[in-house]
Amino acid sequence: MTIRVWDYLPEYAKEKDDILDAVQTVFDSGQLVLGESVRGFEREFAAYHGVPHCTGVDNGTNAIKLGLEALGVGPGDEVITVANTAAPTVVAIVGAGAVPVFVDVREDDFLMDTTQIEAAITARTKAILPVHLYGQCVDMAAVQQLADEHGLAVLEDCAQSHGAYHHGELAGTMSSAAAFSFYPTKVLGAYGDGGAVLTSDEQTKRDLDRLRYYGMDKVYYVVRSPGHNSRLDEVQAEILRRKLSRLDHYIAGRNAVAQRYVEQLSDLEHPEGLRLPRTNSGNTHVYYVYVVRHPKRDAILEALREFDIALNISYPWPVHTMSGFAHFGYRPGSLPVTEKLAGEIFSLPMYPSLPEAEQDRVGAALRSVIARL
C-alpha cells in the first residue's frame, strides 16, 4: 500500500460524526451565505490569536490579495517577499496590481533573509510580505523594524504556520494584517477551500469586509468601491469552528511525528548529506510539512519508488524562475540560495494521524536508500 505524503481519511474516520454534524448544522440553519457559522468562526479564530478582528474569505490566495488591498497596496506598488514559497503568494501580489520584489532565503531554515530587505526597498515599496514557511516564523522583529523605519505595511503569509509561536507571539499577530489558508492539507484545514485575514485595525477590518463582498458595505447593490466575490463558505466555516478546538491537538500530533523522524534519522545527518529541519531559537514549529534536504535528492526520490512511498518537493521551481513571472526580469542565479535549495529539498509524509508503522516504513526506506548512495 502506498504511503501518501498527506491523507485526510484517517482523521476523517475519527471525526466523521462531528464533521457531518457541522454540515447538518448549516443546512438546518436557514442561511447558507455569511451566516452564524462564518461570524462564529471569525470571532473564535480572532480570539484564539488574541486579536480583535477576522474576516473569512474564500481561499488563502485571496486572503493575501484582499489583505494587501486593505493595506493600501495597488497598481505599481512593490511588495518585498521571497521566491521560495508556493506560487499563490506571488499570484496574489500580482492580482492586487503590485510588483513582487524578491529577496533570498537563509540556507539553514529556508526563511526570508531579513538582512536583504533594506537593499530591496525603493520609493515604490509599499509592503513587506514575509512567508512563515513550512511551519515556523520569520524573524519578525527585524521585519517590523525596517517597516517602521520606512513607513511600510507588513502582511504575514501564515498559510503554513497556524498556531506557530515566535518569541511568545502567535503567527499572524505581529504585523499590520495576516493572511491564512485553510486548504485541506493545512495545519488547520477545511474540507475544501477557505481563508481568513486577521488584523487589529478596525478600519482595515471594515475594508476587508467590503472587499470580500463586491465592494459593498451592509446594503446590497450599493458598491462603495470595486471589490470581489470572496466569501468564506458557511459549511467550511462551521467545519473550521469544530476543528479549531482541536488545533493544538493537531499541532502536538505533528510534533510527535517530527520527533519520531528525528529519532529515526538524526544519526544520518551530515553537512554534505541528509539534513533535517531546524527550529530557530524563540520559535515553535508546527510542521506543516517536514522538509529535509540532500544533495542527491533526485536519486533518493527515484530509489524510493520501489518502496511505494510518495514524497513531495516544496518547492521544485522557485517562483522567480517560472515563465509566468518572467516579465519581472529575474534570471537564473538571481537568488542563489533559493535555487540551490530547490534542487535538494523534499518532504517526508506528515500529518497528525500518520500511523507509526507507516512512519517506520518511511524511516527504514530512507535509511536503506541513503546507505546505497
Side-chain angles (χ1 to χ4, degrees), residues 280-301:
N280 292 331
S281 176
N283 276 357
T284 64
H285 209 307
V286 297
Y287 294 103
Y288 166 59
V289 282
Y290 192 86
V291 177
V292 303
R293 57 184 294 200
H294 196 289
K296 297 182 179 180
R297 188 268 313 278
D298 293 343
I300 291 172
L301 295 187

Side-chain angles (χ1 to χ4, degrees), residues 14 35 46 58 77 106 130 170 200 204 215 219 232 245 248 316 320:
K14 296 177 183 177
D58 54 344
D77 292 332
R106 305 192 305 191
L170 272 170
S200 294
T204 302
V219 180
L232 178 61
S245 68
D248 292 343
H320 72 290

Side-chain angles (χ1 to χ4, degrees), residues 63-87:
I64 297 173
K65 179 182 177 183
L66 272 62
L68 290 171
E69 292 179 351
L71 295 175
V73 174
D77 292 332
E78 293 179 349
V79 177
I80 297 173
T81 191
V82 294
N84 184 35
T85 184

Side-chain angles (χ1 to χ4, degrees), residues 106 194 222 342 359:
R106 305 192 305 191
V222 180
Q359 193 176 353

Side-chain angles (χ1 to χ4, degrees), residues 7-21:
D7 191 349
Y8 75 91
L9 291 174
E11 178 184 287
Y12 178 62
K14 296 177 183 177
E15 301 181 359
K16 182 176 181 178
D17 290 345
D18 194 36
I19 299 302
L20 295 182
D21 183 68

Side-chain angles (χ1 to χ4, degrees), residues 313-327:
I313 303 174
S314 301
Y315 300 91
W317 301 287
V319 174
H320 72 290
T321 68
M322 296 180 181
S323 60
F325 303 116
H327 58 292

Side-chain angles (χ1 to χ4, degrees), residues 2-65:
T2 300
I3 297 177
R4 303 173 66 180
V5 171
W6 172 80
D7 191 349
Y8 75 91
L9 291 174
E11 178 184 287
Y12 178 62
K14 296 177 183 177
E15 301 181 359
K16 182 176 181 178
D17 290 345
D18 194 36
I19 299 302
L20 295 182
D21 183 68
V23 176
Q24 192 66 50
T25 295
V26 173
F27 288 176
D28 288 341
S29 71
Q31 188 167 4
L32 299 177
V33 178
L34 291 182
E36 178 52 34
S37 291
V38 168
R39 290 190 294 271
F41 174 71
E42 290 174 339
R43 289 193 303 269
E44 292 155 18
F45 196 64
Y48 178 91
H49 290 86
V51 300
H53 305 299
C54 173
T55 296
V57 298
D58 54 344
N59 56 65
T61 307
N62 282 337
I64 297 173
K65 179 182 177 183

